[in-house]
Amino acid sequence: FQICFLLFAVLYIVSYFIITRYKRKADEQEDEDAIVNRISLFLSTFTLAVSAGAVLLLPFSIISNEILLSFPQNYYIQWLNGSLIHGLWNLASLFSNLCLFVLMPFAFFFLESEGFAGLKKGIRARILETLVMLILLALLILGIVWVASALIDNDAASMESLYDLWEFYLPYLYSCISLMGCLLLLLCTPVGLSRMFTVMGQLLVKPTILEDLDEQMYIITLEEEAIQRRLNGVSSTVEYQTVELERELEKVKSKKTNLERRKKASAWERNLVYPAVMILLLIETSISVFLVALNILYLLVDETAMPKGSGGPGIGNASLSTFGFVGAALEIILIFYLMVSSVVGFYSLRFFENFTPRKDDTTMTKIIGNCVSILVLSSALPVMSRTLG
């Protein structure tokens, strides 16, 4: 229990700093709105920490298995055993269900609630409205899933099993959401793999081959001064011209900032880091595509290659990779790479472009939506990793 608590505490602290980095700085608010925002922030932080734990579970299980194989009798790693790993998986599943079906809907409705008309305004009225909305949402989802199950499998036993809320209904609903997460991952990951090169190109300093940065800096400075003079000369009554000129000025300032960063960068950062990172991305992408293609070929020609569920040799009994510790390390790197690529691909899709969080300018509602999306993607990552081999 202490180990699980310490791991989650670290993830919670990291998640809190990530969310506060993007959360819009609150203006002068009433005490009631400040309390509601703070509660929603804590619930979103908890959800993001659970998502991070779900992502880390598979790599943690792989590395724990290899450590137990290498040092089976070591006194200092006796705490690392199969019961701990299975306990972490059960806790991750429990907390994922809790965040997905209770905490995040509560945070959203609580943030949007104002209290029922005729009741005294305050926190209690908003909590009452939120609980009523949650009950109505639960009844709606229960009815939809019950009708869908009756249409797909018109059997009395299957419909009666839906009355068993804890043993069947919630796991069934969570499996449906994991399936949607897998479909979303399969859509986002290829887009993310292609976008990773562009994103890293924007973050890193490119080599200055046959480029004169001083000349480009001089040109961009003249352009900025010209736009600034035009902006000062435009009458304030012509609003559309002012908006267009301000937009052009922002673009020019952004280009100038990038040029200044490139000019200040050291020679090794320009000529060594950028090519090395691009080559590493190319190698990781090639290995990922090769392993997925190889696994699909195995699935087509060999029935024994099909995933057989959770049954296996157990933790610390056999290596999960043919190449031992090196293969396990490669698998962990590829799992993280696939997750990062899927997140990049998710925010690169046209439908979710406006969903991207911005530093110090993200509303609490958008943060809740981002936390739910990342939770769905992270809960589907182990399933997709197992399916793709």
Side-chain angles (χ1 to χ4, degrees):
F1 177 78
Q2 290 86 350
I3 295 172
C4 298
F5 178 78
L6 289 174
L7 291 174
F8 186 77
V10 172
L11 292 177
Y12 187 90
I13 293 171
V14 174
S15 302
Y16 179 80
F17 282 114
I18 291 174
I19 290 181
T20 51
R21 176 182 174 84
Y22 289 99
K23 181 180 177 293
R24 178 179 292 174
K25 296 296 181 281
D27 300 324
E28 295 298 327
Q29 291 181 328
E30 301 176 5
D31 292 338
E32 181 183 322
D33 291 332
I35 293 172
V36 171
N37 270 307
R38 199 173 299 120
I39 293 173
S40 300
L41 173 65
F42 291 151
L43 295 179
S44 301
T45 305
F46 184 86
T47 303
L48 189 60
V50 171
S51 305
V55 172
L56 293 173
L57 267 179
L58 195 57
F60 183 74
S61 302
I62 294 172
I63 198 68
S64 300
N65 183 72
E66 299 301 324
I67 289 174
L68 289 174
L69 277 175
S70 303
F71 310 100
Q73 303 298 329
N74 195 311
Y75 173 77
Y76 296 101
I77 59 170
Q78 292 299 312
W79 56 272
L80 192 63
N81 49 41
S83 61
L84 172 66
I85 305 298
H86 292 304
L88 288 174
W89 279 97
N90 292 332
L91 285 175
S93 177
L94 174 64
F95 286 147
S96 296
N97 280 289
L98 181 66
C99 293
L100 205 55
F101 301 122
V102 180
L103 298 185
M104 285 294 93
F106 178 86
F108 176 75
F109 290 129
F110 192 43
L111 200 64
E112 299 294 326
S113 64
E114 295 180 357
F116 291 114
L119 294 179
K120 184 180 179 181
K121 301 296 182 183
I123 297 294
R124 290 184 179 179
R126 297 177 77 158
I127 291 176
L128 178 62
E129 181 185 349
T130 303
L131 292 177
V132 171
M133 293 298 296
L134 281 177
I135 293 172
L136 293 175
L137 179 65
L139 291 175
L140 177 64
I141 295 177
L142 179 65
I144 291 174
V145 176
W146 199 86
V147 171
S149 176
L151 291 174
I152 295 171
D153 187 9
N154 192 12
D155 184 11
S158 65
M159 286 186 285
E160 286 178 5
S161 63
L162 282 174
Y163 293 117
D164 194 350
L165 189 66
W166 297 106
E167 295 295 329
F168 182 82
Y169 181 78
L170 282 178
Y172 174 73
L173 192 58
Y174 186 69
S175 299
C176 294
I177 293 177
S178 294
L179 174 61
M180 291 189 293
C182 284
L183 296 177
L184 187 60
L185 274 178
L186 291 174
L187 179 65
C188 296
T189 305
V191 178
L193 290 175
S194 62
R195 281 278 300 167
M196 283 293 289
F197 295 92
T198 306
V199 171
M200 295 307 296
Q202 294 172 351
L203 295 176
L204 299 175
V205 178
K206 297 180 181 179
T208 55
I209 302 173
L210 301 177
E211 283 186 295
D212 190 350
L213 293 181
D214 293 327
E215 181 180 354
Q216 293 183 26
M217 196 73 185
Y218 178 71
I219 294 172
I220 207 76
T221 304
L222 291 178
E223 190 176 349
E224 181 185 8
E225 292 174 355
I227 295 175
Q228 190 67 54
R229 283 195 297 268
R230 288 172 58 193
L231 189 60
N232 294 334
V234 171
S235 174
S236 58
T237 56
V238 189
E239 186 178 350
Y240 72 94
Q241 288 187 5
T242 305
V243 172
E244 286 294 327
L245 287 174
E246 287 178 351
R247 198 172 298 166
E248 289 182 21
L249 186 61
E250 287 295 325
K251 291 180 180 178
V252 170
K253 285 183 178 180
S254 177
K255 291 180 182 178
K256 186 178 180 180
T257 304
N258 291 334
L259 281 175
E260 288 175 350
R261 181 168 175 263
R262 292 182 64 187
K263 193 174 179 180
K264 292 178 182 178
S266 59
W268 71 269
E269 186 179 354
R270 288 196 304 265
N271 302 321
L272 183 62
V273 174
Y274 182 84
V277 170
M278 287 300 165
I279 291 172
L280 185 62
L281 284 178
L282 183 62
I283 292 173
E284 288 183 346
T285 305
S286 303
I287 293 175
S288 302
V289 174
F290 173 75
L291 290 178
V292 170
L294 196 63
N295 187 66
I296 292 174
L297 184 62
Y298 280 150
L299 293 177
L300 289 174
V301 300
D302 187 6
E303 292 184 0
T304 60
M306 294 293 291
K308 296 297 190 297
S310 59
I315 299 294
N317 294 327
S319 179
L320 300 176
S321 174
T322 309
F323 301 102
F325 194 84
V326 176
L330 179 62
E331 286 183 358
I332 291 172
I333 292 171
L334 292 179
I335 288 170
F336 282 124
Y337 182 58
L338 284 177
M339 186 61 194
V340 173
S341 301
S342 64
V343 173
V344 171
F346 175 77
Y347 289 117
S348 300
L349 294 176
R350 190 170 297 177
F351 185 74
F352 298 107
E353 279 182 352
N354 296 327
F355 211 52
T356 307
R358 303 186 184 281
K359 184 182 176 183
D360 296 333
D361 192 30
T362 308
T363 61
M364 202 63 229
T365 305
K366 190 177 287 188
I367 286 176
I368 291 173
N370 279 277
C371 289
V372 171
S373 303
I374 293 175
L375 178 62
V376 171
L377 291 175
S378 62
S379 63
L381 180 66
V383 180
M384 193 189 75
S385 300
R386 181 70 183 271
T387 305
L388 296 181

